[in-house]
Amino acid sequence: MILHLRGTVLPDGEPRDLWLLGDRVTFVRPAGAADVVTVADGGFLLPGLVDVHTHPGSGDDAGDLSFDPALFAEHIAAHREAGTTALRFPGLLGEVPAAVREAPDAPRMITAGRWLAWAGLSRTAAFHTVTDDLVASAVAEARAHDGWCKLMGDWDFEAAPVPYKLLRAVVEGVHAAGGRVAVHCQSAEGVLGAARAGVDSVEHGMGMPQECVALMAAHGTAYVPTLTAFAGSAPLRTGGTARDRLWREGHRTMVRRVREAYDAGVTVLAGTDSAPFGNVATEVEHLIAAGLPAHSAVGAASWTARAFLGLSGLTEGGLADVTVYDADPRLDPGTLRRPRRVVLRGRVVR
Ligand SMILES: [Zn+2]
């Protein structure tokens, strides 16, 4: 059976017919094919949504260090129901269960192993895997997973971030092994170190100094602000402590930097970092509120993110992931919450 869809294809906005041959897209009507089934006629077609920063498989409680394969499957199902066809996990507390990953309706998954924390940085958060040899551990995680590793660039606000030379050595080591480096940072010094070291993605970037924008643009570093998570937590920091002030000011600064980074040519991507799973549409709305044009904010949670992860979109020969919406998400981003159809790996899953 060959699936056929007709609609306005994003990002180029052209009305097209497309056919799915197994896990591939073609714009050329297959010759002589009798068993063609039209599963969408009209509407707007995206190559699915992408959440590049999500941690399925563990409970909401930060103190819960368990990784539950059944909960992982539940979280993945929530992503899929929402039309999320590709995911990156920058830090997991366990290994992705093969049965979930290899299921015929599984979203594409890019893992990065565990959260790595250099021993000189912090021992205070149990979810970190503490290592004395950050370079070797990072290379090993990238090799063992999908080419990515995830480091804590900073953690305790009172403590110094990972030293620049060490972070640079990690980037060189992982790049030499063909991998990429995602770095958590939420202090001014931490973000500056990551931007100077040329990491592949800055995660969060709270309190980002202005000079980071040009550094990230020069290094091709992507920015994943996870605004959804901070919009929930920063306003709760109403106290008068130095840390409360850092949070409030750091959050205001990061929201400003999102637009500045975008304007400077930095690839800004959508990640939620938080429950509920399947909520990347909310991140799109936060990116628009921060000043991204709606077209780019939708792309940050779809075609731009796929390109960044090495996944093709709705192009000739591209991977057969499609979501269908009644309205144009560039004009009505809320429509992303209501996919009419979800097609993954050439199969209708919703
Ligand atoms: Zn995270």
Side-chain angles (χ1 to χ4, degrees):
M1 185 175 68
I2 294 170
L3 302 187
H4 164 244
L5 302 96
R6 179 183 296 130
T8 301
V9 175
L10 296 183
D12 64 359
E14 292 296 321
R16 289 182 201 275
D17 287 85
L18 53 89
W19 291 266
L20 308 183
L21 304 174
D23 194 13
R24 294 289 160 181
V25 171
T26 181
F27 297 121
V28 182
R29 181 192 299 273
D35 55 346
V36 174
V37 176
T38 299
V39 293
D41 191 356
F44 291 79
L45 312 186
L46 263 68
L49 298 180
V50 184
D51 189 337
V52 301
H53 192 130
T54 178
H55 307 288
S58 301
D60 286 346
D61 180 2
D64 177 7
L65 300 178
S66 65
F67 181 84
D68 178 355
L71 193 58
F72 181 88
E74 212 177 278
H75 292 161
I76 295 300
H79 275 303
R80 180 179 52 238
E81 278 296 299
T84 318
T85 56
L87 299 158
R88 187 187 60 155
F89 311 134
L92 283 184
L93 285 165
E95 296 296 328
V96 170
V100 180
R101 184 176 188 135
E102 287 154 21
D105 60 354
R108 324 269 170 183
M109 299 182 202
I110 310 274
T111 65
R114 290 172 180 262
W115 287 267
L116 298 176
W118 174 55
L121 177 70
S122 177
R123 294 179 180 273
T124 58
F127 69 89
H128 302 161
T129 297
V130 176
T131 173
D132 289 315
D133 190 341
L134 191 60
V135 177
S137 298
V139 169
E141 286 292 56
R143 283 211 171 110
H145 295 91
D146 298 299
W148 281 90
C149 61
K150 169 69 181 292
L151 333 175
M152 309 308 291
D154 56 22
W155 183 249
D156 298 334
F157 281 96
E158 297 78 10
V162 176
Y164 166 77
K165 274 192 176 170
L166 177 55
L167 202 48
R168 183 64 205 160
V170 169
V171 170
E172 286 172 2
V174 173
H175 284 180
R180 295 204 278 174
V181 183
V183 177
H184 163 108
C185 32
Q186 57 177 32
S187 69
E189 298 77 17
V191 192
L192 183 57
R196 283 181 64 211
V199 306
D200 296 282
S201 67
V202 163
E203 311 294 317
H204 318 306
M206 202 170 75
M208 181 189 292
Q210 215 277 330
E211 64 192 291
C212 292
V213 169
L215 287 166
M216 287 163 65
H219 286 133
T221 302
Y223 184 26
V224 184
T226 63
L227 295 171
T228 304
F230 285 87
S233 54
L236 303 178
R237 298 274 181 164
T238 54
T241 67
R243 181 173 282 221
D244 289 329
R245 283 194 295 277
L246 265 175
W247 263 82
R248 289 197 298 268
E249 182 50 37
H251 179 235
R252 278 195 291 273
T253 302
M254 78 188 283
V255 172
R256 264 202 319 277
R257 297 292 180 247
V258 169
R259 174 60 197 253
E260 292 171 10
Y262 173 80
D263 286 344
V266 172
T267 299
V268 175
L269 299 174
T272 55
D273 197 25
S274 55
F277 295 86
N279 189 33
V280 78
T282 297
E283 186 70 11
V284 172
E285 290 167 347
H286 282 299
L287 291 172
I288 292 170
L292 253 66
H295 178 92
S296 301
V298 175
S302 184
W303 54 86
T304 307
R306 288 183 73 97
F308 177 73
L309 295 175
L311 299 168
S312 48
L314 298 179
T315 54
E316 183 65 33
L319 293 167
D321 299 338
V322 195
T323 47
V324 184
Y325 304 93
D326 290 329
D328 185 342
R330 298 168 300 178
L331 303 175
D332 175 11
T335 199
L336 294 175
R337 291 200 175 77
R338 298 178 293 276
R340 193 206 304 160
R341 273 263 187 253
V342 179
V343 178
L344 237 169
R345 302 172 191 264
R347 301 158 61 106
V348 174
V349 299
R350 223 205 91 156

